[in-house]
Amino acid sequence: MSYRKTLKLICGFAGGSAVLVFAAAAADSRGYFGEHRGGEAAGRWSRLTVLRAAQPAWTPASHTPAPTGHAWDFNWDKRDPSALTNGKKTSTTAPATEDPSSEQDNSKPKATRNILLIRHSQYNLSGAIDKERILTPLGREQAEFTGQRLAALGLKYDVMIHSSMARATETANIISKHLSGLGVELVSCDLLREGAPIEPVPPVTHWKPDAVYHEDGARIEAAFRRYIHRADPKQKEDSYEIIVCHANVIRYFVCRALQFPPEGWLRMGLNNGSITWLTIRPSGRVALRTLGDAGFMPPDKLTRT
């Protein structure tokens, strides 16, 4: 083996240990790799020994990830059936034959909620007031792509809720044209308006929200509690709901739903017109199926304004 090959192998697999590189190079220059101990086979064995020696010792204790957070809170939405029935008094007038567990069974959710969070399309940043911050021509194209994608999924959407801000309303209206045959109801909501949900960590100096964190945060948290929760016990079939809103709101929702630190919301980025899909099981488990999916758009149509 040449000097360069030996050096490359040891640096690549052994982490670049200077001592081992020097030793291997010296051994190669003296013909120890292949000229002694039985020819080529012995040479390969010697090189393998050097590489093994360069690798750090492995033990389960040093490589097994350890949990760093709290256990999953199954009553995160305050709708866990077991929590709802705890502390309730048993009716003294109930028939003796009534199953005491029937009340809890009837209060258990049975359906899964699928919530598709759509970020509004690109809009006019130079608008002085909200009604002037309408979609750009590219933004309208993006909304068309998003509408086509939602239609292509072939899901039975129950409702489309959108922020009352101009850019979100216009995005929702364009999307709705692609779902016109499904009878999807459009609902406007002020709680979903853009804002600063909580001071981000790590802090940033280049982004300063107009509103105070505690003002926007209370409103966006109220929106989360209204729309992100497990299904009502009366709901029999799985549902698919669309929410068209804003990047800050969506990122905060994702952190809260997954029980991640909410102050980490600004560590994620979302493209305009992208789809974020949350699934909420009857048990209270939450899964993130997609985050900011915009792969259905051509690369030259992608923006993040």
Side-chain angles (χ1 to χ4, degrees), residues 64-255:
T64 302
T68 57
H70 300 289
W72 181 262
D73 177 14
F74 281 93
N75 195 31
W76 59 273
D77 59 351
K78 309 306 177 187
R79 296 176 183 236
D80 184 355
S82 61
L84 290 173
T85 56
N86 282 345
K88 280 192 174 183
K89 294 182 179 180
T90 303
S91 174
T92 56
T93 60
T97 57
E98 183 177 348
D99 184 356
S101 64
S102 61
E103 182 180 358
Q104 183 171 335
D105 290 339
N106 292 334
S107 66
K108 286 183 177 180
K110 302 170 182 62
T112 294
R113 294 185 67 216
N114 294 275
I115 303 172
L116 288 82
L117 301 161
I118 313 297
R119 189 191 175 194
H120 62 78
S121 302
Q122 186 191 65
Y123 69 103
N124 175 28
L125 292 170
S126 61
I129 56 177
D130 180 59
K131 67 179 182 180
E132 296 176 356
R133 295 169 186 161
I134 59 176
L135 299 186
T136 64
L138 174 57
R140 289 190 287 273
E141 281 189 76
Q142 292 170 338
E144 296 283 358
F145 282 119
T146 304
Q148 292 168 10
R149 174 59 176 169
L150 291 172
L153 291 175
L155 302 174
K156 183 182 178 182
Y157 302 107
D158 298 272
V159 67
M160 184 189 303
I161 307 162
H162 61 85
S163 158
S164 57
M165 298 187 82
R167 55 189 183 269
T169 301
E170 189 176 0
T171 301
N173 287 332
I174 294 174
I175 291 174
S176 68
K177 291 186 293 185
H178 295 273
L179 309 176
S180 58
L182 301 177
V184 180
E185 180 186 6
L186 259 69
V187 178
S188 178
C189 180
D190 288 335
L191 292 178
L192 293 168
R193 294 172 71 88
E194 182 65 303
I198 187 174
E199 188 170 0
V201 177
V204 292
T205 57
H206 65 276
W207 185 76
K208 297 180 180 180
D210 296 328
V212 181
Y213 285 109
H214 72 268
E215 293 178 352
D216 281 358
R219 172 177 54 78
I220 296 172
E221 173 64 20
F224 174 82
R225 297 186 185 191
R226 174 178 291 187
Y227 297 116
I228 312 299
H229 55 77
R230 75 192 77 191
D232 187 272
K234 297 178 182 179
Q235 181 176 326
K236 303 303 180 184
E237 298 181 357
D238 295 351
S239 60
Y240 297 87
E241 304 157 49
I242 302 171
I243 299 179
V244 182
C245 55
H246 309 270
N248 296 354
V249 178
I250 294 172
R251 292 181 287 187
Y252 178 78
F253 280 10
V254 168
C255 288

